[in-house]
Each structure stands twice: as structure tokens, then as C-alpha cells.
């Protein structure tokens, strides 16, 4: 029997291998039991993405919940994860189930549970759901008797777009016609970013805006490797900006008018600086352990805290809810802001970038240069190393017993072990080593004010790990 476990953002599996209708029923039943134990007269909303069979997996979840006398609202059409999270809070329901594998390959699907606060389920919640899963797998699912009368259908697109646009300064678009190229990557962002931009008066061209469960043969992740078609178009025509979202539209992608990809780290610190100057300060900024320390510099200048969390947006969500964080972000392409739901929102991120470009009348790269002239430039890089299980274990042993006092000729001045091993070096360069929890994969992150030194740091660390 396949083990069903929840990672940093839900349960994901290979369709027809472990992600089957029977296993989806088990997880839906486990969620039902958690919801019934936690909320009085619970109501759950269910959404899904454009992946193969997602709408049918969603219907199965609705049937399981209704069998448990839980009132269900099932989306009439694919819906972005951030829109579903927003609906949870706006409708005041007990939570949501989202059928998606986000940016994973086309042959994956998954389930996210979004609690009543509209953000990723924390570890305490997912642990309870997983315990329910394990018991159900052992005892058997039992018979289900769906109650169709408990299943209603809803469409939340208009309400979400209207509310997100209320977070945008519409005045900065007046008298300007921003020309934007939008790439929803065949995912849930179809009809969201482009529609919102049109309402702001932008001229919009959209590519990859129809259902393709194969995502055009690429990962639906808006990074440099997977957005070559957008880069080609933006280089061949005149645009002010290129914007993208991933498979469930919780991650963002930004491209400069000249076709240069703007990294997630750069977008996050660009928006942090912009929001402080246009929205005012808050108590803190939140970032994961793998995200740029440029945020620390910006926070320090404005007498704000910069909170470092483990990897996983559920930790950023805690800061947005409890630490008065103005913005929270992670280098993998997720962010949210104060006043919004504590869930990654690629649609909102894209619109905020468009606002900054319209207000400052500069390209993203020009905005970044202005910030870097004030704080200095930092170079960052991530290496994903696929290896064998034996070599992974050997590398983990070296991480646990890290004994180097210097790396690439720089003294190690601080060791952090909250999530992997992060070492701060004497010139404030740093590196982080984290193993994948599900694959034979080791990730090495690094950042430095010197590009050549960054390469030396990464090479030294990789050599030490024997990878």
C-alpha cells in the first residue's frame, strides 16, 4: 500500500500510480474527519486546475465530503489556488480542497488543504490528516453515500479579480498604456492576469491560454528554462513587460522588455522596496532561509525586522498573520502581502510589478539597478544535484558534521541548522544545503556580493559534499 504524505504544500503523486481515485477518496475522507472534529457544521469549497482528470478528482472529493454530511461548494471551472484561498476567507467557510500539482510535471496531480484562514495548512493540521489517512488505509474506507443536495456549484472569478484590483493603485495607470505580454502557461492563470490588466487600461497580448494537460511539453513553472516562448515573443515585438503564472497561478514570473528574465529573488526585493515607499512600513518582512538577504538590508534601513523562516510558504503565512509582515516571499516564486490572504499569489505579484513599472516609468531591470545602487548588488544561485540514495546519505552525514572553518577562503562566522545547513561567511556571503524530502536530490543555494566568489563557494561546498 502506497504511503500518502503531505509535503511543504500538500500531497502530490503520479496519476494512475499513487494518485488514483481510490487514494483521493481516502485523503478526502481523512480531511472530512479532520473538518468534522475541528469545525461545527462545516462547509468546504473545492477547486481544481487544468490537469488531466482534475475536475473528476474534485467531484470525487465532493462526493466523499457530502457522504460525511459536509456542505460543499464545488467550482464550476478551474480556479487558481490563490482565488480559492481568497474565497475561503471571503465566504467564511471552514476550508478548501484544491486539486493541483502546481508546477510539477504533467503526470502529477495533488491535493492541497486550505484551512479557514486562507493559507497553507500548517504541520499540526497536516499531521492530523495524515494520521487519519493511515488509519483509513489500515481499516478500509467503508461505503460512501453521496448527498447531491449538499453539493452546490460556484464561480468566484469576478469577485476575486475585483478584490485583487482593490489592492492595486489604479490611478498610476491613468493616462498610460502599458503593453504587457502574459503567459499563464496553460494553467489556472488563464483569464485572470490578462483580464485584470485590461481593466487597468493595459494593452495585453496572451500566449498559452488554453487547456493543455501536457503544458506544451514543459514544466508549468515560470522560470527561465520553461518560458523560452515568451522570451522569443517579447524580443521580437515591443512590450513594456512580460508576466507569467504557474500551473495553479500561485507562483509568478517576470521578464524585462529586452527578454531578460527577472529572478524571483529580484522581484521580491523590488516589491518590498516599492511597497514600503508607496504603502508605508509595517513591523517586518518575511523570507525563507533560501531567499535573498537583500530583504534584510531593506528591512534594516527602514527599522523593520526581517524574519527568516524554514522553506515552505506555510511559515511565511504565519508571519503575514501574526508578525505584521508587509510582504513575505520565497525564492521559488511565491509571495503575498499585508491585507491579502496568507497564500502565495502569482496573480497579485504580477499586478504589483505592473503597477511599479507604470508608476516609476521604468523597466523592472531599471528599477532593480536603482535599488542596487542604494544597497549594493547581490548574486545568488541554486544548484539541484540529483544523486544516488547512498551518496545522498553520505552528503547528509557531512552536512550534519560540518567541520569546515572556512569556505572559498572566507571564514565561517555563523551556522544555522533550522532547515538544512546555512553558513554565513565573513563578507556576508552565505550558502545553504538542503536535501529533498522525497527524491535523491540535494539543493545548494548561495549568495554573495561577488559573482566569481559565489561560484567558488558553490564549487567548494559541492566538493566537500562529494557531489
Amino acid at each position: 500500500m502506497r504511503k500518502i504524505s503531505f509535503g511543504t504544500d500538500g500531497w502530490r503523486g503520479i496519476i494512475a500510480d499513487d494518485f488514483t481515485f481510490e487514494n483521493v477518496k481516502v485523503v478526502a475522507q481523512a480531511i472530512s474527519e479532520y473538518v468534522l472534529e475541528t469545525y461545527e457544521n462545516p462547509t468546504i469549497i473545492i477547486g481544481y486546475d487544468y490537469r488531466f482528470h482534475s475536475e473528476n478528482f474534485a467531484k470525487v472529493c465532493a462526493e466523499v465530503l457530502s457522504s460525511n454530511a459536509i456542505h460543499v461548494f464545488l467550482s464550476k471551472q478551474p480556479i487558481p489556488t490563490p482565488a480559492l484561498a481568497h474565497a475561503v476567507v471571503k465566504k467564511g467557510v471552514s476550508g478548501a480542497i484544491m486539486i493541483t500539482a502546481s508546477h510539477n510535471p504533467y503526470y502529477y496531480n495533488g491535493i492541497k488543504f486550505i484551512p479557514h484562514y486562507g493559507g497553507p495548512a500548517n504541520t499540526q493540521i497536516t499531521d492530523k490528516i495524515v494520521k487519519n489517512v493511515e488509519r483509513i488505509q489500515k481499516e478500509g474506507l467503508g461505503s460512501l453515500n453521496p448527498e447531491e443536495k449538499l453539493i452546490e456549484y460556484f464561480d468566484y472569478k469576478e469577485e476575486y479579480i475585483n478584490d485583487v484590483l482593490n489592492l492595486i493603485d489604479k490611478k498610476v495607470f491613468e493616462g498610460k498604456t502599458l503593453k504587457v505580454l502574459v503567459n499563464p502557461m496553460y494553467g489556472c492563470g488563464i483569464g485572470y492576469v490578462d483580464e485584470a490588466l485590461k481593466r487597468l487600461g493595459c494593452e495585453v497580448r496572451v500566449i498559452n491560454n488554453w487547456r493543455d494537460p501536457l503544458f506544451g511539453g514543459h514544466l508549468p513553472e515560470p522560470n527561465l528554462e520553461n518560458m523560452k516562448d515568451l522570451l522569443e515573443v517579447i524580443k521580437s515585438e515591443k512590450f513594456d513587460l512580460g508576466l507569467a503564472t504557474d500551473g495553479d497561478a500561485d507562483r509568478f514570473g517576470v521578464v524585462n522588455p529586452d527578454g531578460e528574465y527577472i529572478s524571483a529573488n529580484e522581484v521580491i526585493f523590488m516589491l518590498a522596496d516599492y511597497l514600503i515607499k508607496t504603502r508605508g512600513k509595517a513591523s517586518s518582512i518575511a523570507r525563507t532561509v533560501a531567499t535573498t538577504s537583500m530583504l534584510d538590508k531593506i528591512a534594516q534601513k527602514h527599522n523593520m525586522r526581517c524574519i527568516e523562516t524554514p522553506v515552505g510558504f506555510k511559515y511565511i503565512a504565519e508571519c503575514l498573520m501574526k508578525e505584521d509582515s508587509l510582504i513575505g516571499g520565497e525564492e521559488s516564486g511565491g509571495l503575498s502581502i499585508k491585507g491579502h490572504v496568507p497564500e502565495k499569489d502569482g496573480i497579485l505579484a504580477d499586478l504589483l510589478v505592473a503597477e511599479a513599472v507604470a508608476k516609476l516609468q521604468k523597466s523592472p531591470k531599471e528599477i532593480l539597478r536603482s535599488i542596487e545602487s542604494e544597497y549594493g548588488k547581490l548574486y545568488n544561485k541554486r544548484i539541484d544535484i540529483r544523486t544516488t540514495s547512498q551518496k545522498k546519505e553520505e552528503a547528509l552525514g557531512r552536512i550534519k558534521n560540518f567541520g569546515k572553518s572556512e569556505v572559498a577562503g572566507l571564514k565561517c562566522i555563523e551556522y544555522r541548522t533550522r532547515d538544512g545547513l546555512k553558513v554565513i561567511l565573513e563578507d556576508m556571503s552565505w550558502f545553504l544545503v538542503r536535501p529533498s524530502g522525497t527524491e535523491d536530490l540535494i539543493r545548494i543555494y548561495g549568495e554573495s556580493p561577488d559573482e566569481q566568489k559565489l561560484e567558488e563557494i558553490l564549487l567548494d561546498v559541492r566538493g566537500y559534499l562529494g557531489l
Side-chain angles (χ1 to χ4, degrees), residues 150-178:
L150 291 177
I151 303 174
E152 296 184 52
Y153 293 85
F154 79 104
D155 185 345
Y156 196 68
K157 182 177 178 179
E158 280 300 307
E159 196 166 347
Y160 168 78
I161 290 178
N162 288 336
D163 280 5
V164 166
L165 284 174
N166 286 333
L167 296 171
I168 303 299
D169 184 356
K170 303 180 187 69
K171 290 183 180 179
V172 306
F173 292 90
E174 294 176 0
K176 302 164 189 171
T177 304
L178 212 64

Side-chain angles (χ1 to χ4, degrees), residues 161-325:
I161 290 178
N162 288 336
D163 280 5
V164 166
L165 284 174
N166 286 333
L167 296 171
I168 303 299
D169 184 356
K170 303 180 187 69
K171 290 183 180 179
V172 306
F173 292 90
E174 294 176 0
K176 302 164 189 171
T177 304
L178 212 64
K179 187 176 180 182
V180 186
L181 178 62
V182 175
N183 179 15
M185 304 190 81
Y186 308 101
C188 285
I190 294 171
Y192 280 80
V193 174
D194 51 319
E195 178 60 31
L197 287 169
K198 288 175 185 176
R199 295 184 192 184
L200 292 169
C202 299
E203 181 183 339
V204 182
R205 178 179 169 188
V206 193
I207 60 173
N208 304 328
N209 60 333
W210 60 91
R211 183 176 189 176
D212 176 3
L214 301 180
F215 301 109
H218 301 286
L219 284 174
E221 182 176 8
N223 59 24
L224 181 62
E225 179 63 28
N226 300 317
M227 294 200 300
K228 290 180 179 177
D229 48 359
L230 182 147
L231 298 178
E232 288 176 5
V233 175
I234 205 168
K235 287 177 182 177
S236 63
E237 300 179 34
K238 186 173 177 59
F239 290 93
D240 297 301
L241 185 62
L243 298 172
T245 48
D246 75 335
D248 66 332
D250 67 350
R251 296 187 180 198
F252 58 84
V254 178
V255 175
N256 207 60
D258 61 1
E260 183 176 331
Y261 173 71
I262 308 298
S263 73
N265 273 322
E266 291 171 321
V267 172
I268 294 166
F269 77 69
M270 176 176 75
L271 289 181
D273 182 77
Y274 177 75
L275 289 171
I276 289 171
K277 291 174 179 175
T278 58
R279 308 299 200 267
K281 294 191 295 182
S283 298
S284 66
I285 293 171
R287 61 163 180 79
T288 64
V289 64
T291 304
T292 178
S293 55
M294 181 71 85
L295 292 168
D296 301 62
K297 294 185 175 187
I298 292 171
Q300 184 178 18
K301 176 169 182 180
H302 295 280
N303 297 313
M304 298 165 63
R305 289 186 301 145
C306 188
I307 303 171
E308 182 175 270
T309 76
V311 171
F313 207 80
K314 58 188 175 184
Y315 302 108
I316 297 293
E318 290 284 326
C319 295
L320 290 165
M321 291 187 289
K322 299 177 181 179
E323 301 291 344
D324 187 38
S325 292

Side-chain angles (χ1 to χ4, degrees), residues 32-48:
S32 297
E33 294 178 11
Y34 167 77
V35 167
L36 288 167
E37 292 168 1
T38 308
Y39 304 99
E40 187 176 350
N41 300 319
T43 298
I44 296 293
I45 57 178
I46 300 176
Y48 53 92

Side-chain angles (χ1 to χ4, degrees), residues 12-205:
R12 293 174 190 170
I14 295 175
I15 299 169
D17 182 6
D18 51 350
F19 200 90
T20 62
F21 282 102
E22 283 305 307
N23 280 345
V24 167
K25 288 178 183 178
V26 168
V27 174
Q29 179 63 29
I31 292 172
S32 297
E33 294 178 11
Y34 167 77
V35 167
L36 288 167
E37 292 168 1
T38 308
Y39 304 99
E40 187 176 350
N41 300 319
T43 298
I44 296 293
I45 57 178
I46 300 176
Y48 53 92
D49 66 9
Y50 281 100
R51 287 172 183 268
F52 178 68
H53 261 323
S54 281
E55 66 272 36
N56 297 316
F57 288 125
K59 186 65 164 65
V60 164
C61 288
E63 290 171 352
V64 172
L65 267 67
S66 72
S67 297
N68 287 271
I70 297 172
H71 192 179
V72 175
F73 287 96
L74 178 59
S75 182
K76 292 180 181 178
Q77 58 189 5
I79 182 172
T81 293
L84 193 69
H86 189 274
V88 168
V89 176
K90 194 74 179 286
K91 289 179 175 291
V93 298
S94 309
I97 291 174
M98 178 68 185
I99 304 296
T100 183
S102 190
H103 60 286
N104 282 76
Y106 70 89
Y107 47 84
Y108 276 82
N109 214 324
I111 293 179
K112 294 182 181 183
F113 177 66
I114 302 171
H116 65 277
Y117 50 78
N122 61 38
T123 305
Q124 290 76 17
I125 293 172
T126 55
D127 283 350
K128 290 178 181 178
I129 293 171
V130 169
K131 283 184 179 179
N132 289 344
V133 167
E134 291 170 349
R135 179 181 49 74
I136 294 165
Q137 284 185 315
K138 185 177 180 181
E139 297 176 357
L141 187 59
S143 60
L144 298 170
N145 299 294
E147 290 283 350
E148 286 294 330
K149 64 183 181 181
L150 291 177
I151 303 174
E152 296 184 52
Y153 293 85
F154 79 104
D155 185 345
Y156 196 68
K157 182 177 178 179
E158 280 300 307
E159 196 166 347
Y160 168 78
I161 290 178
N162 288 336
D163 280 5
V164 166
L165 284 174
N166 286 333
L167 296 171
I168 303 299
D169 184 356
K170 303 180 187 69
K171 290 183 180 179
V172 306
F173 292 90
E174 294 176 0
K176 302 164 189 171
T177 304
L178 212 64
K179 187 176 180 182
V180 186
L181 178 62
V182 175
N183 179 15
M185 304 190 81
Y186 308 101
C188 285
I190 294 171
Y192 280 80
V193 174
D194 51 319
E195 178 60 31
L197 287 169
K198 288 175 185 176
R199 295 184 192 184
L200 292 169
C202 299
E203 181 183 339
V204 182
R205 178 179 169 188

